[in-house]
């Protein structure tokens, strides 16, 4: 069944929800694992060369050999790829105590062998002045099942990639065919006039447009990443601070019937760097 094709990608996408970068080197500096580190990274391209960078500014150039191996597994790097989840091994001879581990340090450049990689669907969050503008301009015609999907590996929740992106695991219903996947659009909306100078909570609305798909035969779920850095700056300009809480409002249901009320999913006690 089509759903089996999505299972492996979902596991990769959700292993590091809310975490940007983790080292897997042992205490003696040996790379005994099949990989040295893993985590989310953003992508860039320069004169046809693709590379990655992390939250502290380190850059990572994948070897052409390992990139070709990833392509054989179905990964295709393109100019539209923004956020990826990677497992890799270091190729250079830099001592292990200076390798990137996510801590604050002088940005460095590394050559890496990719062990595993998956693209995360990435979008710009939308800004609307009012709720009325949102209702009129951003289509919503179907609910989502949950923003906290659960499987044998655990329950996955919305998380942040620094102050750059909001990553949301979205489960929804659709027709039991691969072509239906492209019909479904999840727009994340920020309503500007809901923020006052005293606001501490940043609210987003996740709106599901099912396109031409009218069936709710199977459940699927994917991580969706939304660029929110410009919205955070707008919030800070109005209030003087970044929010201490982010809430995502979504309409929840198990068929195509759109409920009237929202369900809230929150990220709390945020410590911004």
């Amino acid at each position: 069944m089509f759903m089996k094709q999505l299972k492996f990608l979902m596991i990769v996408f959700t292993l590091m929800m809310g975490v940007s970068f983790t080292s897997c080197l042992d205490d003696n500096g040996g790379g005994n694992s099949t990989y040295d580190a893993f985590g989310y990274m953003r992508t860039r391209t320069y004169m046809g060369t693709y590379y990655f960078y992390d939250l502290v500014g380190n850059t990572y150039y994948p070897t052409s050999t390992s990139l070709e191996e990833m392509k054989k597994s179905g990964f295709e790097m393109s100019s539209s790829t923004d956020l990826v989840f990677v497992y890799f091994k270091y190729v250079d001879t830099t001592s292990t105590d200076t390798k990137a581990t996510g801590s604050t340090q002088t940005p460095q450049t590394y050559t890496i062998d990719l062990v595993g990689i998956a693209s995360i669907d990435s979008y710009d969050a939308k800004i609307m002045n009012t709720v009325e503008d949102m209702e009129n301009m951003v289509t919503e015609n179907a609910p989502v099942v949950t923003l906290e999907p659960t499987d044998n590996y655990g329950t996955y929740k919305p998380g942040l990639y620094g102050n750059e992106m909001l990553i949301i695991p979205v489960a929804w219903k659709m027709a039991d065919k691969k072509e239906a996947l492209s019909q479904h659009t999840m727009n994340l909306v920020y309503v500007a006039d809901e923020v006052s100078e005293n606001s501490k909570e940043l609210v987003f609305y996740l709106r599901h447009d099912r396109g031409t798909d009218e069936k709710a035969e199977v459940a699927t779920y994917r991580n969706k990443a939304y660029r929110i850095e410009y919205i955070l700056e707008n919030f800070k300009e109005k209030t003087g601070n970044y929010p201490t809480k982010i809430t995502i409002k979504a309409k929840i249901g198990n068929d195509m019937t759109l409920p009237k009320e929202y369900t809230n999913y929150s990220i709390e006690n945020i410590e911004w760097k």
Side-chain angles (χ1 to χ4, degrees):
M1 189 168 68
F2 165 62
M3 294 308 303
K4 293 181 179 179
Q5 301 174 9
L6 300 179
K7 183 64 177 178
F8 173 73
L9 286 180
M10 183 59 193
I11 294 170
V12 174
F13 288 168
T14 54
L15 280 173
M16 283 295 294
M17 178 60 64
V19 180
S20 61
F21 189 89
T22 299
S23 173
C24 292
L25 298 173
D26 62 32
D27 293 338
N28 296 320
N32 294 327
S33 173
T34 56
Y35 51 88
D36 291 335
F38 58 94
Y40 287 114
M41 294 186 192
R42 297 190 73 175
T43 68
R44 283 179 179 158
T45 180
Y46 178 71
M47 297 184 67
T49 299
Y50 294 100
Y51 62 97
F52 315 118
Y53 65 100
D54 62 23
L55 284 170
V56 296
N58 298 303
T59 55
Y60 304 80
Y61 287 87
T63 61
S64 57
T65 301
S66 67
L67 192 55
E68 286 301 315
E69 287 298 315
M70 296 301 102
K71 288 180 180 179
K72 292 178 183 178
S73 300
F75 174 78
E76 187 65 39
M77 183 78 97
S78 70
S79 58
S80 62
T81 304
D82 187 357
L83 187 70
V84 292
F85 186 94
V86 295
Y87 289 86
F88 64 89
K89 290 189 73 71
Y90 292 102
V91 173
D92 59 33
T93 57
T94 306
S95 62
T96 57
D97 60 350
T98 62
K99 290 184 185 295
T101 60
S103 60
T104 302
Q105 59 181 294
T106 302
Q108 299 183 51
T109 299
Y110 302 98
T111 302
I112 60 174
D113 273 329
L114 296 171
V115 177
I117 186 168
S119 297
I120 310 297
D121 298 337
S122 302
Y123 314 88
D124 287 323
K126 297 181 180 295
I127 298 178
M128 295 287 139
N129 289 325
T130 66
V131 170
E132 183 180 8
D133 287 343
M134 177 182 72
E135 295 286 352
N136 291 333
M137 300 173 67
V138 184
T139 300
E140 182 178 41
N141 51 29
V144 296
V145 175
T146 182
L147 303 188
E148 294 185 351
T150 299
D151 64 12
N152 293 335
Y153 297 88
T155 298
Y156 311 112
K157 298 182 178 183
L160 290 162
Y161 179 74
N163 64 348
E164 300 175 7
M165 306 190 86
L166 176 59
I167 306 173
I168 307 175
V170 186
W172 70 95
K173 290 286 189 72
M174 67 180 199
D176 189 12
K177 57 182 181 180
K178 185 177 180 179
E179 306 82 66
L181 190 62
S182 63
Q183 293 296 316
H184 294 258
T185 302
M186 308 292 165
N187 285 304
L188 190 71
V189 181
Y190 161 70
V191 178
D193 78 347
E194 290 190 334
V195 177
S196 68
E197 61 180 12
N198 297 318
S199 296
K200 297 184 181 298
E201 177 185 19
L202 174 56
V203 175
F204 290 99
Y205 297 84
L206 187 73
R207 296 175 65 81
H208 178 192
D209 179 359
R210 59 178 169 76
T212 60
D213 185 9
E214 297 182 355
K215 296 182 179 180
E217 297 173 325
V218 295
T220 186
Y221 51 126
R222 298 287 290 270
N223 269 7
K224 304 285 185 178
Y226 298 89
R227 291 173 283 268
I228 64 167
E229 191 169 11
Y230 55 99
I231 292 173
L232 285 172
E233 293 305 318
N234 180 271
F235 186 96
K236 185 178 180 181
E237 183 178 338
K238 288 185 174 183
T239 67
N241 294 286
Y242 289 125
T244 57
K245 177 180 180 180
I246 290 177
T247 294
I248 304 136
K249 292 179 173 288
K251 293 186 175 179
I252 303 301
N254 282 301
D255 53 28
M256 290 298 182
T257 304
L258 193 64
K260 294 181 179 180
E261 302 298 324
Y262 287 101
T263 299
N264 294 347
Y265 297 84
S266 296
I267 305 170
E268 302 188 62
N269 302 316
I270 303 169
E271 296 183 2
W272 302 100
K273 296 181 179 180

